[in-house]
Amino acid sequence: MRGRQSFVMVRRPLPGGARTYGRGMEPSRFSPFSPRFWRSPLRGPWLTSVLGVVLLVGITVLFVTGLLSYAAYNPGLSPVNDKTPDKGVLGFYLFAWPTHPHWLYRLTQGVHVTLGITLIPVLLAKLWSVVPRLFTLPPARSLAHALERLSLLLLVGGGLFEFVTGVLNVQLDYVFPGSFYPLHFYGAWIFFAAFVAHAVLKTPAALRNLRRMREERAEPAEVAEGAEPTGLTAPDPDPATVSRRGALGLVGGGSLLLFATTAGQSSDALRWTALFAPHGRRDPGTGPGGFQINKTAAYAGIRPAETGEDAWRLVVRGRGGTVRLSRAELLDLPLHSAALPIACVEGWSTSDQWWRGVRLRDLAALVGHDGDPPDVLVESLQRHGAFRRAALRANQVADPRSLLALSVNGEDLTPDHGHPARIIVPAAPGVLNTKWVAELTFGDL
Ligand SMILES: Nc1nc2c(c(=O)[nH]1)N[C@H]1C(S)=C(S)[C@@H](COP(=O)(O)O)O[C@H]1N2
Ligand SMILES: [Mo]
């Protein structure tokens, strides 16, 4: 492959348009496996290094916030919460999700989704910048090279898979019924393993490129000239139509635009700006219940007949026995208020709403769990769907702000927000805030 080397190293046309490679060795410029097929003068170590360093930081944050989100679901607590029962050692880091600060999940998941969407242009530009390398022939020169190619496949495939599953889940409302969690979770580990291997191999060179650029105040093109041959720089470039800095500006501008049309999903006041956020345009109505709704009562199949004062009874079970309470009886128990947000795995969240209801720990005490309340299994009136049941951990039950809420912002819960009663727990993902609650079982999960 002597000829191929020279394509990579020599990019300047010689006088008279002659090039240094021999005529007979020129691969076709119509084959993507030929370096001559890739003609953009923008490609080069500089562009790839800048994008790579941005992704190094960004994807690490995505991975950490993703693992936090997984932990926040309490998957280790009960099979009811666990969408990935075969996780094995991948659950090694699971911990009891705290209830402080009360906006914790709002922050971590808002960052996860908004950052993920913001990084899409950077990811695509990075792939574009290295695409000639993805086509290099032969596929494997040695075992080590074969392994490198395999890790690249997992890196590119895994990266695209994680971004696509994440965006689809957020945009299309559970296109993978029940299977999003395992897909996105196992995919994340495969992707991140390949990402770490890649970062260890490439970060030193990327940082070297950027440092040279700064120290020598060199132009991007000169950095490309001086850098080791990477197979990134077009041997036979077309004339430039935009500078490398200009191209970077376009990518950054795209990211900024996505950020500006996504970030508003974490604020009630700015939600109208969140054009790319899910439920951004679903009108939750006005008044006390006029904040973001995920699934409506109609969607969940809740019939008005089963939520009326005569029909509905809350069943509370514990080691001391079982009690059944009407809504009127619940309203006669000591009521407490808590200002807490709804924060969904999809990234959107509401500002704090004023919930009022019975403390979960008081309900535990009613059925024989005084002092030190245990875990609780919450079951909804809803008959189908992944979110009709959820388990809460003892620390969540014990928090005085954890309520079986009966009203919000000064009025009875609306049907869509969970009337006759719903769970609200500080710092927890929305999915644990079960609506249309029918039964609570303390202890014995
Ligand atoms: N029974 C039941 N409770 C549920 C859900 C559901 O689908 N069914 N969705 C959960 C999810 S994913 C979220 S984000 C919150 C949304 O609450 P909201 O619609 O009142 O904003 O409710 C949670 N409680
Ligand atoms: Mo949610």
Side-chain angles (χ1 to χ4, degrees), residues 83 174-183 386:
K83 310 284 190 273
Y174 317 104
V175 262
F176 324 94
S179 59
F180 168 72
Y181 297 90
L183 289 176

Side-chain angles (χ1 to χ4, degrees), residues 401-413:
R401 298 163 299 169
S402 296
L403 303 176
L404 180 74
L406 303 166
S407 69
V408 64
N409 300 326
E411 278 187 23
D412 276 359
L413 287 174

